Amino acid sequence: MPTFEVPNIAANTPLWLALVTTFVAAVSGAILGRQPGKVSYDIVGVTVFAFVLGLGGGITRDVLLGNLPPLALRSPWYVVTVLGAVITVLLIGRWIPVDGWTFILLDALALGLYAVIAAQLAVEFGLPDIGAITVGFLAAVTGGVLVSVLRGETPQILLPSQPYALLAVIGATIYVLLDAYSGGVAAFACLASVIVLRFVTLRWNLRTRSVRPLRPSEEGRAPEGSAPEGSAPEAD
Amino acid sequence: MPTFEVPNIAANTPLWLALVTTFVAAVSGAILGRQPGKVSYDIVGVTVFAFVLGLGGGITRDVLLGNLPPLALRSPWYVVTVLGAVITVLLIGRWIPVDGWTFILLDALALGLYAVIAAQLAVEFGLPDIGAITVGFLAAVTGGVLVSVLRGETPQILLPSQPYALLAVIGATIYVLLDAYSGGVAAFACLASVIVLRFVTLRWNLRTRSVRPLRPSEEGRAPEGSAPEGSAPEAD
Amino acid sequence: MPTFEVPNIAANTPLWLALVTTFVAAVSGAILGRQPGKVSYDIVGVTVFAFVLGLGGGITRDVLLGNLPPLALRSPWYVVTVLGAVITVLLIGRWIPVDGWTFILLDALALGLYAVIAAQLAVEFGLPDIGAITVGFLAAVTGGVLVSVLRGETPQILLPSQPYALLAVIGATIYVLLDAYSGGVAAFACLASVIVLRFVTLRWNLRTRSVRPLRPSEEGRAPEGSAPEGSAPEAD
């Protein structure tokens, strides 16, 4: 296989592709700011969520690697893209089909791209494989975790749910393993795996299971008959 | 106008001025630690709040710019100032007129100074205008956001409230726009704008509005008649 | 005293010692993920807690000092150790004697070692004494604080409790003060102090007190007779 012909999308990400995925992530963030709930956010809240979800991963990656100032601030286009996403959500937020296949596809592409770009850069900065996978994972999930923390919610990736963080780990692992053979093929395989796995988990509603608590739950024992599954009394 | 005669207070901040504003911010933080509420903090809590509010913005700025170790740790005086603020609040906390004009003036000065110093340094580090404004914004608000997160509260700047984060954005923007003409004038205009706008928003109690949720609130619909303004049913 | 004979355990930490303490901290984190409570975490949650508690302090230290990429990612062994801790807790979590003396000893050793390694590196990077103590403190407590924030809890170190953060401050201070005399002796004295003080506070159940609120608590006043101690009306 003429590996030299496959461009490495992780090492030389076209700017338009980076901006499209930033836009998608920032739109998701801004929409979180307009979600009905106990509190309503103001324009700063909506913008901060868009900023954190759109750029938080890349900034985390660059801080960890010492690649400073972060790319997201060195180029003006990333912040402009986030502001564009905020304006889009303010104007036509209700018509954005966030549950549609197109958006899910772009969101999975963003997930994979964050992971693979970060893993690639980490390899370039001399990190060992397992360090590069860790950076890829952190780049992919930190934005979402920070937004959850700002909203006072438990980050979804820590709870039983459709695997999302795991896809980033799998994608980064595939990239790192195949990179020695061909960076271009590795990046393509990473992105394809993340996207396919994302649709597979959605289609069959695959979910991670909760890890069984070490002891019966204190809360669960008090009101009789209401003990959750994982907290059944058992011999210690 | 002899622009060369106006010293650039952002590029060459006198140490006493930096320490005064650090002191003011740290006092605000320590007072948060002594606010009556559901939980009482210990001496570590009070100190951490003072530290985060007094130095968090500067450290965030230096981490983002790669200006490491951060200035707040390179010079001993910043940590000493924070500890002085903690001792002050422990000893005479109840006599500090945090609602008085003097404190509000110093607090607005601190807000403007964080924004303008960070924006100036970002320009010096070669960031484009919009990147410098972003760093100025982050330097001005990160300390307060972190304290809120540590206290388990939603950060005030994300909610409808008197504009605070927006003042940092306006100030940093003014600095960046005027900087090409004269750094000294730009820094002065930035600080003056932030302080004046702070008093204007206080005087007329200007507040940001909440962004309308995209769908009627689930919580709002259940108990009839109790739907908040922003959650009235509307055509989707 | 032939100071040249005492190896500086902070400057040249044997890898096995660094990994043992990482393992202990990561096990504590993973066990937090299996604690019974309102929510159950999945495998990602357990791993993230182990990662944050095991490596968060060292990464914070390296980010603050600009020692990037952080050591915890430059060497593969740290992440491997965290994963080993996760697997250990998943397999034999209920048999790990986290309340036993051995675990408490290792945990105190980890606390002291985080503080002293960070303080030593900060001195090496040219920080003044008080800056080095601050970095030692932050390295020792940031992991635990982050895990608390991710769990939606108020970080324990901010609340009246057995002193833990204070031990890190004391340990780092001892190291910095004695370092001019002999780094090896300083590191040993730091570790010994933290471990001894940890057992002293456990033995006599010493606890920090809450700082008295500045005003009577609003919550406390409403229901009569239920005002907590610190909120008794007093002359302002």
Side-chain angles (χ1 to χ4, degrees), chain B residues 9-10 108-109 111-120 136 167-178 182-197:
Chain B
I9 210 173
L109 178 65
L111 175 66
L113 211 54
Y114 279 117
V116 77
I117 291 176
Q120 189 278 330
L167 302 193
V169 172
I170 292 171
T173 306
I174 288 175
Y175 178 78
V176 165
L177 292 182
L178 296 185
S182 155
V185 170
F188 181 80
C190 166
L191 287 179
S193 315
V194 170
I195 291 171
V196 168
L197 286 172

Side-chain angles (χ1 to χ4, degrees), chain C:
Chain C
M1 188 187 290
T3 58
F4 51 85
E5 286 189 8
V6 182
N8 187 338
I9 209 173
N12 301 293
T13 318
L15 184 61
W16 66 265
L17 183 59
L19 294 184
V20 165
T21 52
T22 297
F23 185 82
V24 170
V27 162
S28 301
I31 284 178
L32 279 175
R34 293 193 67 183
Q35 239 176 18
K38 270 170 294 182
V39 296
S40 297
Y41 299 96
D42 74 351
I43 179 69
V44 175
V46 172
T47 307
V48 166
F49 292 155
F51 188 89
V52 170
L53 213 53
L55 304 182
I59 291 178
T60 301
R61 174 199 69 206
D62 287 344
V63 167
L64 283 178
L65 296 178
N67 185 28
L68 299 170
L71 177 62
L73 298 177
R74 279 205 304 266
S75 153
W77 297 112
Y78 291 90
V79 178
V80 168
T81 299
V82 168
L83 297 180
V86 170
I87 292 168
T88 305
V89 169
L90 289 180
L91 292 181
I92 60 164
R94 73 180 51 191
W95 292 293
I96 297 175
V98 286
D99 296 331
W101 293 113
T102 313
F103 200 87
I104 291 173
L105 174 66
L106 287 171
D107 183 68
L109 179 64
L111 175 66
L113 210 55
Y114 279 118
V116 78
I117 292 176
Q120 189 279 329
L121 200 64
V123 168
E124 203 177 303
F125 270 67
L127 289 198
D129 286 359
I130 203 166
I133 294 168
T134 304
V135 174
F137 167 74
L138 290 175
V141 305
T142 301
V145 167
L146 284 181
V147 167
S148 295
V149 166
L150 289 176
R151 291 168 63 86
E153 297 168 353
T154 303
Q156 196 64 32
I157 65 157
L158 306 179
L159 299 174
S161 55
Q162 281 178 352
Y164 196 80
L166 286 176
L167 302 192
V169 172
I170 292 171
T173 305
I174 288 173
Y175 178 78
V176 165
L177 292 181
L178 296 185
D179 181 46
Y181 168 65
S182 156
V185 170
F188 181 79
C190 166
L191 287 178
S193 314
V194 170
I195 291 170
V196 168
L197 286 172
R198 181 79 182 117
F199 277 97
V200 166
T201 58
L202 279 173
R203 173 66 185 78
W204 282 280
N205 194 24
L206 302 180
R207 300 172 69 84
T208 58
R209 291 186 308 154
S210 80
V211 173
R212 201 174 47 175
L214 285 174
R215 290 179 308 282
S217 167
E218 300 298 321
E219 280 86 0
R221 272 193 300 197
E224 257 184 282
S226 73
E229 180 121 323
S231 65
E234 46 194 331
D236 254 51

Side-chain angles (χ1 to χ4, degrees), chain B residues 22-88:
Chain B
T22 297
F23 185 82
V24 169
V27 162
S28 300
I31 284 177
L32 278 176
R34 293 192 67 182
Q35 238 175 21
K38 271 171 292 182
V39 295
S40 296
Y41 299 96
D42 74 350
I43 179 68
V44 176
V46 172
T47 306
V48 166
F49 292 155
F51 188 89
V52 171
L53 213 52
L55 304 183
I59 291 177
T60 302
R61 173 200 69 206
D62 287 344
V63 167
L64 284 177
L65 295 178
N67 185 28
L68 298 170
L71 176 63
L73 299 177
R74 279 205 305 266
S75 152
W77 297 113
Y78 291 90
V79 178
V80 168
T81 299
V82 167
L83 297 180
V86 170
I87 292 170
T88 304

